[in-house]
Amino acid sequence: MRYLTAGESHGPKLTGIIEGLPAGLTLSQQAIDRALQARQQGPGRGGRMKIEQDEVVITAGVRGEITTGAPVALEVKNRDWANWESIMTPGKDVDWESKKVIAPRPGHADLTGSLKYRTEIRNVLERASARETAMRVAIGSITRQLLTNLGVQIRGRVVSVGAVELNWSNTEEEWQRAAKSEWRVGDVEGEQRLNEQLNEARRLGESLGGILEIQVLNLPAGLGSYVQWDRKLDGRLAQAVLSVQAMKGVSFGLGFEAAKRFGSEVHDPIVYHSGEGYQRTRNNAGGIEGGMTNGEPVILQVAMKPIPTLYHPLSTVNLETKEEVKASIERSDICAVPAALVVLEHVIAWEIAQAVLEKFPADTIPELEKAWQDYLDYLKAQ
Ligand code: EPS
């Protein structure tokens, strides 16, 4: 499978095309819309999210609710475009002046993008914007539905925001709380500290990043491969995750902590249970060894930097006069960590589905389901 997205933050719409989806997948448009709405939530979001009410329009590759095997085309409209029509309309004479940006924001694509494409900053930030992640959630939601049918579950939680670490002991109850919490955390008292920190950031004109955890459950051993560098699943997941705006680091399982311990404290002993096959006594590897799933949950932690637009801006240079000025202030979120969790769950769903379809190439869902089930039976019978 492959996909492409197009669209500017304040242009008419976002567009996506997926190629290679098997025929016969029953798609719930409501499930896509629920994912889109989840991405818009969370404390710390800015004024834009009061304007948008993201909904997907499927325009190709699906008949009724069933994929046909043809490319699937998707659209998500930008409601805010109504306020930008004179500035952001393709194929028409537009107003180039009133939303021109001449003070690049440190931490953003602004300066380097404008140098590279010899264009003004507006054109750079419109495409670099995290608005694009709405389409990636819609695309990922389709592959998530494919995975759900196979029994694969993806879940996420916020580990920390700024300097606030949340309590966590990995119980089912905490996971349920995290799924419902607006901060996506399992620690009720922690939410209070998060709100206080957010208010402080708002008062100071600051922004906040955080650490997020995503788990993928019920995957069989053997997705991905060790035989060539670009087939290693951890490498592919890392690329997908780091391609999301503001993501700066990724680790698997024990992560960087593994580098500080003896090998015997890091690697996961293998056991055998008749009728169930091989298992591990713990999961420090985060479910991936040799670039392949090993049958344990795949566990990633991802670091998100604070959003670069600051209401109390850093110094920069006016591109026209070359004088030192304060960076431009675009309307912005203060903290988008819970929203980013939704995005990460969905880009991960895409990569996992990709690995599934590489191991079980299939033109149709029944063929995929049969190959999947046969393989699960084979693993259990070992
Ligand atoms: C973004 C800036 C803000 C965010 C936007 C990402 O948009 P605006 O400049 O219109 O206020 O709201 O995020 C979204 C629009 C979205 O859907 O997530 C940026 O510069 O990346």
Side-chain angles (χ1 to χ4, degrees), residues 9-10 39 45 48-49 80 108 129-131 331 333:
S9 181
H10 304 99
R39 194 200 66 93
R45 293 289 257 156
R48 177 76 183 272
M49 288 304 105
D80 203 15
H108 213 280
S129 165
R131 175 74 188 146
R331 176 186 59 189
D333 304 322

Side-chain angles (χ1 to χ4, degrees), residues 9-10 39-40 45-49 52 54 80 84 105 108 125 128-134 245 307 309 330-333:
S9 181
H10 304 99
R39 194 200 66 93
Q40 291 195 268
R45 293 289 257 156
R48 177 76 183 272
M49 288 304 105
E52 303 298 341
D54 292 338
D80 203 15
W84 289 74
R105 289 161 295 169
H108 213 280
L125 73 86
S129 165
R131 175 74 188 146
E132 184 252 352
T133 61
Q245 289 81 344
I307 285 165
T309 305
E330 291 273 315
R331 176 186 59 189
S332 176
D333 304 322

